[in-house]
């Protein structure tokens, strides 16, 4: 049975709905603008002013030239490697750290946890980090992108909090059956923590997908550039000289603007497609760290 709302409650809900709709539109419109612009005719887009609610002179020419650029394919392959290998190692090491720090009988776990949390507020900085990577011989290699970001303190705290919520009786019964710590972690703890593991995959995966600063600092070989660094070259340095199209009479017409928009869409859509599959775990996994952390 539906409860009748008062006039004030109706006005409040209507105003709240209107406000949230406007905020959602404000957040969504820039993406829609980029999407519409990427399918627009370059010459017509340059003459257009104001809001854009549909493609102007529908054209997929920019996408054809984006995918004809070998740096896009190379950047995609490198980014997929960084995401797959980096996220796998991230989850593995974060699970090890969270499991060890969540057990009750671990010696000096509180001082160790304090030193780990300390790094959230104070770090060595860019120059010491560069010197460390250089002295380890990792410069201009894929591992220079993966190893320095193997563990996130915040993600470790969230996963540790989730592991602490698992009843201790499950671990005790597993040990009575002869299970060691690795067996308990992989066959008891992690299967019961799938929501938080899915959130960690999302956090780490998005971080690797969007990472570009570390690659800009540590990489010189263009064959190792991730997709976001290639995108940065196109957007900031306006490096679209090799992306020109011939039109009637052999004249050359620059399509730099629409190429930029198309490149943004190409670099953004794959990670957006990941969210629907992890959405049902996202709220539960984040709330674990928010309520009990």
């Amino acid at each position: 049975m539906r409860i009748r709302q008062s006039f004030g409650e109706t006005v409040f809900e209507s105003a709240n709905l209107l406000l949230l709709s406007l905020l959602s539109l404000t957040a969504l419109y820039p993406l829609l603008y980029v999407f519409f612009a990427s399918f627009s005719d370059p010459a017509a887009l340059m003459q257009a002013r104001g809001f854009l609610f549909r493609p102007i002179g529908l054209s997929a020419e920019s996408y054809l030239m984006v995918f004809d650029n070998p740096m896009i394919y190379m950047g995609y392959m490198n980014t997929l490697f960084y995401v797959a290998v980096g996220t796998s190692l991230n989850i593995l090491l974060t699970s090890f750290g969270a499991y060890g720090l969540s057990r009750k009988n671990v010696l000096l776990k509180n001082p160790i946890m304090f030193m780990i949390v300390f790094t959230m507020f104070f770090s060595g900085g860019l120059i010491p980090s560069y010197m460390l990577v250089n002295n380890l011989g990792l410069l201009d290699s894929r591992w220079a992108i993966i190893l320095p970001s193997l563990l996130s303190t915040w993600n470790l705290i969230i996963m540790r909090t989730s592991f602490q919520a698992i009843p201790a009786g499950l671990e005790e019964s597993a040990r009575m059956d002869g299970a060691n710590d690795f067996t308990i972690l992989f066959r008891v703890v992690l299967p019961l923590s799938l929501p938080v593991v899915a959130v960690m995959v999302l956090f780490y995966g998005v971080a690797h997908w969007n990472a570009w600063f570390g690659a800009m600092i540590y990489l010189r070989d263009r064959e190792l550039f991730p997709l976001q660094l290639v995108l940065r070259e196109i957007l900031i340095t306006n490096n679209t000289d090799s992306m020109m199209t011939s039109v009637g009479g052999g004249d050359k017409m620059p399509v730099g603007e629409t190429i930029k928009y198309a490149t943004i869409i190409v670099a953004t859509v794959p990670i957006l497609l990941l969210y629907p599959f992890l959405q049902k775990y996202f709220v539960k996994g984040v709330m674990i760290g928010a309520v009990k952390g």
Side-chain angles (χ1 to χ4, degrees):
M1 182 176 180
R2 185 174 181 179
I3 301 176
R4 174 176 291 183
Q5 293 180 330
S6 66
F7 177 75
E9 291 174 335
T10 303
V11 171
F12 173 78
E13 287 196 1
S14 300
N16 193 31
L17 178 62
L18 178 62
L19 177 61
L20 292 178
S21 299
L22 291 175
L23 291 176
S24 300
L25 182 61
T26 303
L28 183 62
Y29 180 73
L31 182 60
L32 291 176
Y33 182 92
V34 172
F35 178 76
F36 292 147
S38 67
F39 280 102
S40 297
D41 179 77
L45 181 65
M46 293 180 66
Q47 298 175 359
R49 294 294 183 269
F51 292 98
L52 192 66
F53 295 104
R54 60 179 178 82
I56 304 176
L58 185 63
S59 173
E61 185 178 24
S62 298
Y63 285 94
L64 295 177
M65 283 181 286
V66 165
F67 286 112
D68 194 46
N69 182 4
M71 283 301 298
I72 296 294
Y73 284 107
M74 191 177 301
Y76 251 113
M77 294 298 102
N78 291 331
T79 295
L80 290 175
F81 175 84
Y82 296 139
V83 170
V85 177
T87 303
S88 300
L89 293 176
N90 289 143
I91 297 298
L92 182 64
L93 293 185
T94 304
S95 301
F96 286 165
Y99 176 77
L101 294 171
S102 65
R103 301 304 93 187
K104 296 181 179 181
N105 57 347
V106 174
L107 184 65
L108 299 176
K109 70 173 184 178
N110 289 332
I112 293 174
M113 194 65 201
F114 173 80
M115 289 187 289
I116 293 175
V117 173
F118 184 82
T119 63
M120 293 181 64
F121 306 99
F122 301 95
S123 64
L126 177 60
I127 295 177
S129 299
Y130 181 87
M131 293 174 62
L132 176 62
V133 172
N134 184 32
N135 292 334
L136 291 175
L138 299 177
L139 280 183
D140 214 19
S141 70
R142 298 184 189 275
W143 296 111
I145 307 301
I146 296 175
L147 293 183
S149 59
L150 274 181
L151 191 64
S152 166
T153 302
W154 177 249
N155 293 341
L156 175 65
I157 294 173
I158 294 177
M159 185 169 279
R160 171 179 174 264
T161 305
S162 174
F163 288 176
Q164 287 177 329
I166 297 176
L170 293 176
E171 179 184 353
E172 295 173 359
S173 62
R175 290 192 183 279
M176 291 178 63
D177 291 335
N180 56 26
D181 287 310
F182 288 100
T183 302
I184 294 173
L185 174 61
F186 289 107
R187 303 190 65 176
V188 177
V189 176
L190 286 179
L192 294 175
S193 305
L194 287 182
V196 77
V197 172
V199 172
M200 294 299 101
V201 170
L202 183 63
F203 283 176
Y204 280 122
V206 171
H208 282 296
W209 185 271
N210 292 329
W212 61 272
F213 185 74
M216 184 181 68
I217 297 298
Y218 302 130
L219 298 182
R220 295 293 178 268
D221 187 355
R222 293 176 60 84
E223 294 186 357
L224 301 178
F225 280 10
L227 180 63
Q228 299 301 332
L229 196 54
V230 176
L231 176 62
R232 178 183 180 274
E233 278 192 350
I234 295 175
L235 294 180
I236 297 182
T237 65
N238 203 26
N239 185 16
T240 57
D241 295 339
S242 61
M243 300 182 185
M244 307 285 286
T245 179
S246 297
V247 293
D251 296 331
K252 295 287 186 178
M253 181 183 67
V255 290
E257 288 301 314
T258 53
I259 284 177
K260 292 177 183 179
Y261 293 128
T263 307
I264 293 174
I265 294 297
V266 168
T268 304
V269 167
I271 202 66
L272 289 179
L273 297 178
L274 182 64
Y275 274 91
F277 298 100
L278 300 177
Q279 185 178 8
K280 63 179 181 179
Y281 300 111
F282 185 77
V283 174
K284 182 177 180 181
V286 171
M287 287 299 293
I288 291 174
V291 175
K292 299 181 181 179

